[in-house]
Amino acid sequence: IVLTFFDAWVGTISFMLQLYFDFSGYTDMALGIGLIFGIKLPNNFLSPFKATNISEFWRCWHITLSKFIRDHLYYPVSLLLTRYAMNNNFGYTSLFILSVLTPTIFAFFWVGLWHGAGWNFILFGLLHGIYIVIFNIWIKVINLIPEGKRIKGNNLTNIISQLITFIAVIFSFVLFRAETIGGANNIICAMLGM
């Protein structure tokens, strides 16, 4: 079966929305049932598709998993490696690799594995880890620009940021849904018009 550009995009966006509405709906039902019994459960979704960057997306998507991974995997590993780098007078690049890159990739490896034991889930998690690392590098570069010379945030920049984030997430969900890496590759190729 030849997958067209249109079919690949519609199928991927449809799956992503189905996953979100299913999971968000189940969470809302759990929150409501909890309230019936006087138990206030934490929110698990907060309009993640409105996120203007990948970090914000993960603060709004599956909040309880994100918080668990951040508190119990990312922070302890990051703290340990940052102390090690500081005690051994590592340079800025080595410090970044040990304090941001390594703990982020480690944490998102576990996010992927938590969703399933297949390579597609692990690659999904690692891809989001790479997205987060790229975002952190982007923030560091932006902070090097003097305050007066930075582009001010406005509606247009927010829409562009949301679109970039949404597209990055869409591509990652191909890995999440595909049964094989080859199948994911075929869908991504079709999405890119190949």
Side-chain angles (χ1 to χ4, degrees), residues 17-30 44-45 61-65 114-115:
L17 292 174
Q18 175 197 359
L19 183 67
Y20 168 73
F21 288 124
D22 279 353
F23 198 20
S24 180
Y26 298 149
T27 301
D28 289 344
M29 286 188 285
N44 209 23
F45 292 95
W61 176 273
H62 204 332
I63 297 168
T64 53
L65 174 65
W114 182 88
H115 284 94

Side-chain angles (χ1 to χ4, degrees), residues 114-147:
W114 182 88
H115 284 94
W119 280 108
N120 55 325
F121 295 112
I122 292 170
L123 290 175
F124 165 81
L126 292 175
L127 183 58
H128 275 274
I130 292 167
Y131 288 164
I132 294 284
V133 169
I134 291 169
F135 173 71
N136 279 301
I137 292 169
W138 174 256
I139 292 301
K140 291 191 182 305
V141 168
I142 293 297
N143 287 336
L144 294 175
I145 300 171
E147 187 75 33

Side-chain angles (χ1 to χ4, degrees), residues 101-172:
L101 189 141
T102 303
T104 300
I105 297 298
F106 174 75
F108 276 93
F109 166 82
W110 287 103
V111 166
L113 195 60
W114 182 88
H115 284 94
W119 280 108
N120 55 325
F121 295 112
I122 292 170
L123 290 175
F124 165 81
L126 292 175
L127 183 58
H128 275 274
I130 292 167
Y131 288 164
I132 294 284
V133 169
I134 291 169
F135 173 71
N136 279 301
I137 292 169
W138 174 256
I139 292 301
K140 291 191 182 305
V141 168
I142 293 297
N143 287 336
L144 294 175
I145 300 171
E147 187 75 33
K149 295 188 178 187
R150 293 183 197 168
I151 296 174
K152 301 286 185 212
N154 57 37
N155 287 340
L156 179 61
T157 57
N158 283 343
I159 290 169
I160 292 169
S161 298
Q162 286 174 324
L163 187 61
I164 291 169
T165 303
F166 188 72
I167 289 171
V169 170
I170 285 172
F171 276 96
S172 73

Side-chain angles (χ1 to χ4, degrees), residues 49-125:
F49 296 133
K50 293 180 184 176
T52 57
N53 61 62
I54 198 68
S55 181
E56 182 183 347
F57 173 82
W58 277 100
R59 283 192 305 270
C60 299
W61 176 273
H62 204 332
I63 297 168
T64 53
L65 174 65
S66 299
K67 184 177 180 339
F68 179 83
I69 294 289
R70 185 180 60 241
D71 292 350
H72 298 286
L73 292 176
Y74 177 80
Y75 285 152
V77 171
S78 180
L79 184 60
L80 178 73
L81 293 177
T82 302
R83 283 183 182 161
Y84 178 78
M86 297 296 277
N87 289 339
N88 291 292
N89 297 320
F90 283 15
Y92 182 77
T93 303
S94 298
L95 178 63
F96 179 80
I97 289 170
L98 287 177
S99 65
V100 176
L101 189 141
T102 303
T104 300
I105 297 298
F106 174 75
F108 276 93
F109 166 82
W110 287 103
V111 166
L113 195 60
W114 182 88
H115 284 94
W119 280 108
N120 55 325
F121 295 112
I122 292 170
L123 290 175
F124 165 81

